[in-house]
Structures are given as structure tokens and as C-alpha cells.
Amino acid sequence: MTKKMRFAAACGAALLVFALFFSVFFVVAEADHDCIGEHCTICHQIHICQKLLEQLSAAHTALAGGAVLGFSMLLLVLRTWNVFAASSPVLWKVKLLN
Ligand SMILES: [Zn+2]
């Protein structure tokens, strides 16, 4: 990973964390606002923030599930290739006839 890509990934992660915290802060701060009814802009913004939080949590869950599934498949493949088995003369089928 080059330095430029690492910086871009760090910026993306920082923006994601900022959006997450700002959404939580906005929802908490405006929870008891003076609502004007059906066309309230604050309620609309709160709804958008809640949708963002739901999508981020769903994406996080899917990412974690994919990581666990990938790691399990990697362990399964390595186990079938006998990577974890200790090497010994018996496994190498060496005859010790000295
Ligand atoms: Zn409202």
C-alpha cells in the first residue's frame, strides 16, 4: 500500500467517523425540539441521520461477517493442505534403516 493510498484510506475513515459522531450528536441534541408538524425540517434531518446510522451499522455487520467467513475459509483451506501439521520422518515416509 503506497503512502498516498494509506492517506486516502485514513481520510475516508476519519470522514466516516465524523459523520457517525455528528449524526449521533445531532439526533441527541434535537430530540426535544419544537416540532411544527408534518413538514418539520429538523425531523427530516433526524430521519436522515438515523438512516445513515442504520446503513453504517448494517455495513459494519456485513463487513465483520465477511471477515469471519473469509478467515474460516482460509483456515479450512490451510487445514486441507496440511499446513499446520508438523513435519516428521513418518510424514515424509523416510525409512530409518540404519
Ligand atoms: Zn420536528
mmCIF file of all heavy atoms in Angstrom, residues 33 35-37 40 42-43, ligand 1:
data_model
loop_
_atom_site.group_PDB
_atom_site.id
_atom_site.type_symbol
_atom_site.label_atom_id
_atom_site.label_comp_id
_atom_site.label_asym_id
_atom_site.label_seq_id
_atom_site.Cartn_x
_atom_site.Cartn_y
_atom_site.Cartn_z
ATOM 1 N N HIS A 33 -36.967 19.041 20.154
ATOM 2 C CA HIS A 33 -37.105 20.344 19.516
ATOM 3 C C HIS A 33 -38.584 20.740 19.448
ATOM 4 O O HIS A 33 -39.472 19.916 19.684
ATOM 5 C CB HIS A 33 -36.488 20.316 18.112
ATOM 6 C CG HIS A 33 -37.227 19.427 17.154
ATOM 7 N ND1 HIS A 33 -37.046 18.072 17.131
ATOM 8 C CD2 HIS A 33 -38.147 19.705 16.207
ATOM 9 C CE1 HIS A 33 -37.812 17.537 16.212
ATOM 10 N NE2 HIS A 33 -38.510 18.516 15.619
ATOM 11 N N CYS A 35 -41.350 20.930 17.501
ATOM 12 C CA CYS A 35 -41.772 20.388 16.213
ATOM 13 C C CYS A 35 -42.985 21.166 15.685
ATOM 14 O O CYS A 35 -43.916 21.468 16.431
ATOM 15 C CB CYS A 35 -42.125 18.911 16.373
ATOM 16 S SG CYS A 35 -42.337 18.068 14.805
ATOM 17 N N ILE A 36 -42.917 21.496 14.366
ATOM 18 C CA ILE A 36 -44.027 22.260 13.785
ATOM 19 C C ILE A 36 -45.027 21.355 13.087
ATOM 20 O O ILE A 36 -46.011 21.831 12.545
ATOM 21 C CB ILE A 36 -43.509 23.336 12.811
ATOM 22 C CG1 ILE A 36 -42.716 22.684 11.686
ATOM 23 C CG2 ILE A 36 -42.685 24.361 13.551
ATOM 24 C CD1 ILE A 36 -42.346 23.651 10.572
ATOM 25 N N GLY A 37 -44.738 20.079 13.069
ATOM 26 C CA GLY A 37 -45.718 19.170 12.488
ATOM 27 C C GLY A 37 -45.159 18.330 11.354
ATOM 28 O O GLY A 37 -44.011 17.900 11.396
ATOM 29 N N CYS A 40 -41.718 19.353 9.220
ATOM 30 C CA CYS A 40 -40.639 19.860 10.069
ATOM 31 C C CYS A 40 -39.288 19.478 9.453
ATOM 32 O O CYS A 40 -39.030 18.295 9.174
ATOM 33 C CB CYS A 40 -40.775 19.285 11.478
ATOM 34 S SG CYS A 40 -39.497 19.833 12.592
ATOM 35 N N ILE A 42 -36.326 19.771 10.874
ATOM 36 C CA ILE A 42 -35.465 19.115 11.865
ATOM 37 C C ILE A 42 -35.802 17.632 11.945
ATOM 38 O O ILE A 42 -34.901 16.783 12.010
ATOM 39 C CB ILE A 42 -35.603 19.813 13.233
ATOM 40 C CG1 ILE A 42 -35.082 21.250 13.118
ATOM 41 C CG2 ILE A 42 -34.821 19.066 14.300
ATOM 42 C CD1 ILE A 42 -35.292 22.069 14.365
ATOM 43 N N CYS A 43 -37.102 17.303 11.931
ATOM 44 C CA CYS A 43 -37.493 15.882 11.919
ATOM 45 C C CYS A 43 -36.967 15.185 10.667
ATOM 46 O O CYS A 43 -36.529 14.029 10.724
ATOM 47 C CB CYS A 43 -39.008 15.751 11.991
ATOM 48 S SG CYS A 43 -39.691 16.082 13.619
HETATM 49 ZN ZN ZN B 1 -39.979 18.143 14.172
#
